[in-house]
Amino acid sequence: MSKNQTAGTAKKGLFRIIFSRTGIILLLLLLQILFFVEFIFRVEAYAPYVYGIILVLEVIVIVYIINSKGNPAFKMTWILCVLTFPLIGTVFYIYVQMQVGTRFLQDRLAVLKIETDPYMQQDQDTLGAIWASKSANAQLSYYLSNQLGFPTYRNTEVKYFPLGEYKFKYLTAELKKAKKYIFMEYFIVEEGYMWGTILDILKEKVKEGVEVRFMYDGMCAISMLPYNYPTYLKKYGIKCKMVNAVKPFLSTTQNNRDHRKICVIDGKVGFTGGINLGDEYINKKVRFGHWKDTAIMLRGDAVQSLTMIFLQMWNVDERRKDEYENYLTPKRKGLHREMGYVIPYADSPFDNENVGEEVYFHILNHAKKYVHIMTPYLILDNEMITTLLRAAKSGIEVIIIMPHIPDKWYAFVVAQTFYKELIEGGVQIYEYTPGFVHAKVFVSDDDTATVGTINLDYRSLYLHFECGTFIYNNSEIDKIERDFQHTLTKCHKVTLIEVKNRSTFSKITGQVLRLVAPLM
């Protein structure tokens, strides 16, 4: 595609946003923000009268922030805002804490968890077996099942996909085999070859009597899909929902995106990982060089957890209780020890548990030889920095593969502010020279791995709906490690000299943006 064609496409996309319903919604949101700021400035005109009140509120808010639950980095960012912009920061924090929608969503998800609990029970023989095999992983298993309702399974095949092209091939093949139902939940859906191919299959399956439910995040409506796209799909018999649609009301729930990627077919086969439904994910379209991404396919007992994770999100806005019994996974007969242990898990910003980060901590804290990581972003809190450095300083080989061609320049310059401390502490950082790494993978000691949707940044670890799969003693872990080593051959090792020689603009920009890193 020529530069003129690219520019023309960009202009069309921009015009579509501006003159669409989404454009109107964004305009209304902007007007609300301007109204909010104008109100603040008008109040400031009466500063002599309200200064004392604002000062008292500021002190109360800061004391409340310090004593509230949550990550210290978020607290520091809020306190910085309140101290730098006393009136705006104080009023906005109070507004955020008064959000009714957040409390409703939290309560609704809690109810749905209770509804699905009977279908997420931990088999005690499996728990006993993992205790006998590796007590550290048994502790994680107990935490995920007892505290969060994500059981450990055996009798589950795992297939690892080192690129989106491979996942796409298997996904379309499995979709064509569907007999009863197809559940799909994705963060990004963009019209093109990949989505067009899948949509054609879904239309055919509906004609065959297969129930199809499709769910995607509302951010797609900004520039990728028409706002009324669910209505369009329903014409073909596809049940479709846009999760957390962008609405013309300022709300903190707009910050909690559905970043999950799940596909379940007949309860027998399930997919998850970093790959969305867009052509760049299968390298049909080049955006940031070669797109390196990963996913896994599960076949067997553990698929039931992916089904229930999907149904929990699907039923957030439903009034009738779903017929969960109709979507259970047929259990394998006998015991297949060679398949090891598989734990699909999900993370929610409303469960007061940082599930994704806890899984990462567990792998780092219990590694004996190495921890190898692929992540597109590296915006870390103090706990993650400390854990990475402790592992490296303890003699564990810790290697992180990052993109060399980033998709978000501002996130990349923030990530680079962490390089010096990590490298000096013994963590090795590589950048994928051919392009962009979108994979979210931890693999350790030839026996433990997790593959999912969870980036090493604040948004994934604290603000988004995410999912992943913890794998132990499964032969596919060897393939994950071999893929890591193969990817490493295409990477450039970052040195302290390179970090020191970064441009002054990049350093300053990264350091300033790091102040608001919890929002990134």
Side-chain angles (χ1 to χ4, degrees):
M1 182 180 286
S2 68
K3 290 184 178 179
N4 290 336
Q5 288 176 313
T6 303
T9 302
K11 287 180 181 178
K12 288 179 182 178
L14 181 61
F15 288 146
R16 186 174 75 174
I17 295 172
I18 293 174
F19 296 106
S20 66
R21 177 174 176 174
T22 301
I24 295 172
I25 290 174
L26 294 175
L27 177 61
L28 291 173
L29 285 171
L30 178 60
L31 289 174
Q32 287 180 70
I33 294 171
L34 292 175
F35 176 80
F36 183 81
V37 173
E38 174 66 17
F39 171 76
I40 296 297
F41 280 124
R42 286 187 179 275
V43 170
E44 283 186 331
Y46 301 92
Y49 307 100
V50 300
Y51 178 77
I53 297 174
I54 295 300
L55 182 61
V56 171
L57 283 175
E58 183 180 354
V59 172
I60 292 173
V61 165
I62 290 175
V63 171
Y64 179 84
I65 292 172
I66 292 173
N67 288 278
S68 63
K69 291 182 179 180
N71 188 281
F74 284 96
K75 295 181 182 181
M76 288 175 60
T77 300
W78 273 116
I79 291 173
L80 178 65
C81 290
V82 170
L83 292 176
T84 306
F85 310 102
L87 186 55
I88 294 177
T90 301
V91 174
F92 188 64
Y93 182 81
I94 293 172
Y95 173 79
V96 167
Q97 294 302 310
M98 292 175 64
Q99 292 290 302
V100 176
T102 300
R103 291 197 294 273
F104 166 79
L105 191 54
Q106 186 173 15
D107 293 342
R108 179 61 181 149
L109 288 169
V111 170
L112 291 168
K113 181 182 180 302
I114 293 172
E115 287 184 5
T116 55
D117 270 349
Y119 315 104
M120 302 275 275
Q121 294 298 306
Q122 177 62 64
D123 176 72
Q124 294 304 310
D125 290 339
T126 299
L127 189 60
I130 197 171
W131 270 106
S133 177
K134 188 173 182 178
S135 60
N137 283 349
Q139 291 170 340
L140 177 67
S141 171
Y142 183 84
Y143 165 73
L144 290 173
S145 62
N146 188 66
Q147 189 68 29
L148 297 155
F150 303 122
T152 300
Y153 298 90
R154 305 182 83 172
N155 290 356
T156 302
E157 297 175 37
V158 179
K159 184 167 185 62
Y160 174 74
F161 303 109
L163 286 173
E165 298 91 303
Y166 302 146
K167 182 223 173 172
F168 179 55
K169 177 182 177 181
Y170 273 82
L171 175 61
T172 52
E174 293 297 332
L175 287 171
K176 291 175 182 178
K177 298 176 186 176
K179 300 297 182 184
K180 296 180 179 179
Y181 61 89
I182 296 170
F183 295 160
M184 300 185 75
E185 176 181 1
Y186 282 85
F187 177 58
I188 289 176
V189 183
E190 188 171 14
E191 292 178 310
Y193 173 78
M194 184 181 189
W195 170 234
T197 302
I198 292 172
L199 181 56
D200 287 343
I201 296 172
L202 297 183
K203 291 176 183 178
E204 288 301 316
K205 285 296 155 182
V206 170
K207 292 177 183 178
E208 295 173 12
V210 174
E211 179 186 2
V212 178
R213 301 191 195 185
F214 186 74
M215 183 165 45
Y216 64 92
D217 185 76
M219 290 297 288
C220 292
I222 292 180
S223 61
M224 298 177 188
L225 296 174
Y227 196 86
N228 63 345
Y229 200 66
T231 303
Y232 168 74
L233 292 186
K234 288 174 185 176
K235 292 179 181 178
Y236 296 99
I238 299 171
K239 300 176 183 178
C240 181
K241 290 186 179 183
M242 180 165 54
V243 180
N244 199 4
V246 178
K247 297 179 180 179
F249 304 103
L250 285 176
S251 171
T252 55
T253 57
Q254 300 284 348
N255 209 25
N256 306 123
R257 309 317 311 177
D258 184 3
H259 195 243
R260 295 171 183 169
K261 295 98 180 165
I262 294 173
C263 178
V264 176
I265 302 163
D266 291 344
K268 298 177 180 179
V269 177
F271 294 82
T272 189
I275 300 162
N276 285 295
L277 305 182
D279 286 353
E280 64 265 37
Y281 295 89
I282 57 173
N283 287 293
K284 276 281 185 181
K285 178 172 68 176
V286 178
R287 295 186 64 200
F288 311 103
H290 184 262
W291 193 287
K292 166 65 180 175
D293 217 330
T294 60
I296 56 170
M297 179 178 72
L298 305 181
R299 189 187 302 273
D301 296 1
V303 176
Q304 185 155 312
S305 281
L306 290 180
T307 305
M308 295 303 152
I309 290 168
F310 173 91
L311 289 174
Q312 286 173 0
M313 184 64 77
W314 179 270
N315 285 290
V316 165
D317 60 350
E318 294 288 337
R319 295 185 178 181
R320 292 184 179 180
K321 184 178 178 181
D322 214 327
E323 297 177 346
Y324 301 107
E325 297 86 356
N326 293 341
Y327 308 107
L328 301 183
T329 298
K331 300 300 180 185
R332 284 178 179 264
K333 295 181 179 179
L335 175 61
H336 301 266
R337 290 185 173 84
E338 72 280 4
M339 295 180 184
Y341 304 86
V342 178
I343 316 176
Y345 59 92
D347 205 348
S348 163
F350 302 112
D351 60 6
N352 297 315
E353 295 284 345
N354 303 321
V355 184
E357 191 171 40
E358 287 297 332
V359 172
Y360 290 163
F361 283 154
H362 170 85
I363 294 174
L364 286 163
N365 286 329
H366 294 95
K368 304 298 182 184
K369 297 181 293 183
Y370 70 83
V371 178
H372 294 158
I373 302 166
M374 285 191 278
T375 178
Y377 311 112
L378 197 69
I379 303 177
L380 310 174
D381 60 11
N382 185 67
E383 288 87 345
M384 183 58 73
I385 295 172
T386 301
T387 306
L388 286 165
L389 292 176
R390 183 191 304 117
K393 291 176 181 179
S394 300
I396 307 300
E397 180 182 73
V398 180
I399 302 178
I400 301 174
I401 294 180
M402 286 279 292
H404 184 67
I405 304 176
D407 67 332
K408 300 178 180 68
W409 69 268
Y410 52 88
F412 193 57
V413 295
V414 175
Q416 290 176 323
T417 65
F418 295 94
Y419 280 12
K420 183 175 184 294
E421 183 178 4
L422 292 174
I423 293 172
E424 287 179 340
V427 176
Q428 300 177 55
I429 299 177
Y430 287 76
E431 291 182 0
Y432 182 63
T433 308
F436 182 63
V437 169
H438 191 251
K440 307 93 166 54
V441 172
F442 272 56
V443 58
S444 174
D445 294 352
D446 301 328
D447 65 3
T448 300
T450 185
V451 179
T453 69
I454 307 167
N455 301 317
L456 277 177
D457 64 7
Y458 285 94
R459 299 199 66 79
S460 267
L461 296 174
Y462 296 99
L463 299 176
H464 285 169
F465 292 93
E466 304 279 0
C467 64
T469 301
F470 183 85
I471 311 161
Y472 169 59
N473 263 5
N474 186 288
S475 60
E476 209 68 5
I477 293 170
D478 177 63
K479 295 181 182 178
I480 298 174
E481 172 58 18
R482 280 193 278 125
D483 175 53
F484 185 92
Q485 294 298 333
H486 176 69
T487 306
L488 207 59
T489 64
K490 301 178 182 181
C491 295
H492 166 74
K493 187 174 184 179
V494 180
T495 66
L496 284 173
I497 295 176
E498 291 174 28
V499 174
K500 183 179 179 180
N501 290 336
R502 284 171 55 224
S503 69
T504 302
F505 174 79
S506 177
K507 290 179 181 178
I508 294 175
T509 303
Q511 290 167 353
V512 172
L513 290 177
R514 189 165 166 175
L515 294 173
V516 291
L519 304 179
M520 301 174 68

